[in-house]
Amino acid sequence: MIKMKKLTLGYKKEKILNDIDLKVKKGEFIGIIGTSGAGKSTLLMSVTGGIKVFDGKFEVLDYDLNNIKKKNLIKLREQIGVIFQGYNLVDRLSVLDNVVSGMLKDIPLSRAILKLYKDKEIKKAKEYMDIVDITKHSLKRCDELSGGQRQRVAIARALAAEPKIILADEPVSALDPKSAKKVMGILKKVNEVYGVTVIINLHHLEYAKEYCDRIIGVNNGSVVFDDNSDQLTDKLVEKIYTVNN
Ligand SMILES: Nc1ncnc2c1ncn2[C@@H]1O[C@H](COP(=O)(O)OP(=O)(O)OP(=O)(O)O)[C@@H](O)[C@H]1O
Ligand SMILES: [Mg+2]
């Protein structure tokens, strides 16, 4: 699904990530950890083709990101769901409307504005609301929900676009431990039920260890750990979180 070979990534003239070698297979559940500023968000968002490639080879879903045409970039992004710490929902709309909006590429704008959804669209939305356990709030406005509930709506909306990859940038950082665990559990379930590849940036090491099969540790622009979570010893954790400056 994702191939990075000797990859250097960054912004304008500044190189942030150096010499990155990574391969991600279909259905993996990966956590990226590291200190603030290490390059986790840069690494994660590079998968959507939004980060400058300075050097190396970079393929995502068989698209060559070294020289991808705009048309293909749009096609690539349609297959990637992105979830942020800040939910990015339309607050004044209902849970259902937000979830259906994830299918917008299949629904003409005229119908979407009038909220004229077809039965099969409602049925699909219900399936995704069920999996994130938010169906009982489907007609509530999103600004009436708690942070954890909002993040679950964001996951359902991402699913509605039937993505091959879900990228989540610190999806649980703003949540209390109980809500955070519920959201992590739902991401895991989504990964298992739909086989969608999930990559999550995490501030909490415990969540990475508990939920992720594979952990990628980033330190100062380099990948310093990439293995099964059970291989992560205290010594390696120290290596990931050491700040040299
Ligand atoms: N849009 C940008 N333009 C230029 N430099 C940027 C941009 N975004 C991030 N950077 C720089 O890239 C480096 C890595 O940032 P990044 O956001 O990837 O780190 P992070 O590991 O996600 O940190 P955090 O845990 O705080 O979210 C930092 O030095 C940052 O200043
Ligand atoms: Mg970040």
Side-chain angles (χ1 to χ4, degrees):
M1 295 230 131
I2 302 171
K3 282 185 211 159
M4 300 179 175
K5 204 168 173 198
K6 292 201 170 298
L7 196 61
T8 304
L9 296 166
Y11 303 93
K12 289 192 184 130
K13 285 180 186 161
E14 199 184 355
K15 295 174 180 172
I16 302 291
L17 291 154
N18 298 295
D19 210 17
I20 306 293
D21 280 299
L22 285 176
K23 275 188 189 166
V24 176
K25 293 195 201 106
K26 183 181 183 317
E28 286 200 84
F29 193 89
I30 303 175
I32 302 178
I33 58 171
T35 55
S36 184
K40 302 183 296 296
S41 297
T42 307
L43 182 60
L44 192 77
M45 295 318 294
S46 73
V47 175
T48 67
I51 304 290
K52 185 171 171 181
V53 176
F54 286 87
D55 204 4
K57 282 192 173 173
F58 195 0
E59 272 178 46
V60 180
L61 298 176
D62 290 328
Y63 290 106
D64 178 0
L65 292 198
N66 295 73
N67 46 49
I68 185 166
K69 294 206 173 72
K70 220 174 171 179
K71 205 175 90 192
N72 284 338
L73 194 58
I74 293 168
K75 280 195 204 160
L76 170 70
R77 288 178 181 169
E78 282 174 358
Q79 301 177 70
I80 301 176
V82 185
I83 293 161
F84 300 98
Q85 184 178 342
Y87 324 120
N88 291 49
L89 300 170
V90 184
D91 278 347
R92 64 187 167 75
L93 290 183
S94 71
V95 168
L96 176 67
D97 291 332
N98 270 280
V99 175
V100 174
S101 77
M103 301 170 201
L104 275 188
K105 77 173 166 44
D106 305 317
I107 301 178
L109 190 61
S110 54
R111 276 209 291 119
I113 289 170
L114 295 171
K115 299 182 186 167
L116 295 173
Y117 311 137
K118 291 185 176 162
D119 285 352
K120 74 165 196 259
E121 288 153 3
I122 304 269
K123 206 173 144 202
K124 253 177 146 186
K126 180 160 184 315
E127 176 187 334
Y128 302 130
M129 289 190 294
D130 281 348
I131 199 161
V132 305
D133 190 21
I134 202 76
T135 313
K136 59 177 175 292
H137 299 301
S138 63
L139 298 178
K140 271 196 187 164
R141 281 168 55 130
C142 283
D143 51 13
E144 294 171 44
L145 302 178
S146 71
Q149 289 168 336
R150 284 182 202 211
Q151 198 56 295
R152 279 146 52 199
V153 178
I155 296 169
R157 184 186 54 182
L159 278 176
E162 300 181 339
K164 294 202 170 102
I165 302 172
I166 288 182
L167 306 174
D169 198 356
E170 302 198 14
V172 300
S173 293
L175 305 179
D176 63 87
K178 197 172 162 218
S179 310
K181 284 186 170 193
K182 175 137 187 171
V183 167
M184 286 304 294
I186 284 166
L187 284 167
K188 185 91 184 165
K189 195 158 101 186
V190 161
N191 164 257
E192 285 165 5
V193 172
Y194 297 102
V196 45
T197 306
V198 177
I199 312 177
I200 315 175
N201 278 352
L202 287 165
H203 247 124
H204 294 82
L205 175 63
E206 318 89 79
Y207 297 153
K209 277 184 168 170
E210 188 175 343
Y211 293 93
C212 301
D213 306 322
R214 172 179 168 191
I215 293 177
I216 294 172
V218 182
N219 187 341
N220 195 22
S222 298
V223 169
V224 295
F225 178 85
D226 177 13
D227 209 332
N228 293 336
S229 359
D230 55 15
Q231 299 299 312
L232 190 60
T233 59
D234 290 350
K235 205 167 169 203
L236 289 165
V237 166
E238 212 172 290
K239 187 175 162 195
I240 296 168
Y241 288 101
T242 302
V243 183
N244 306 302
N245 53 26

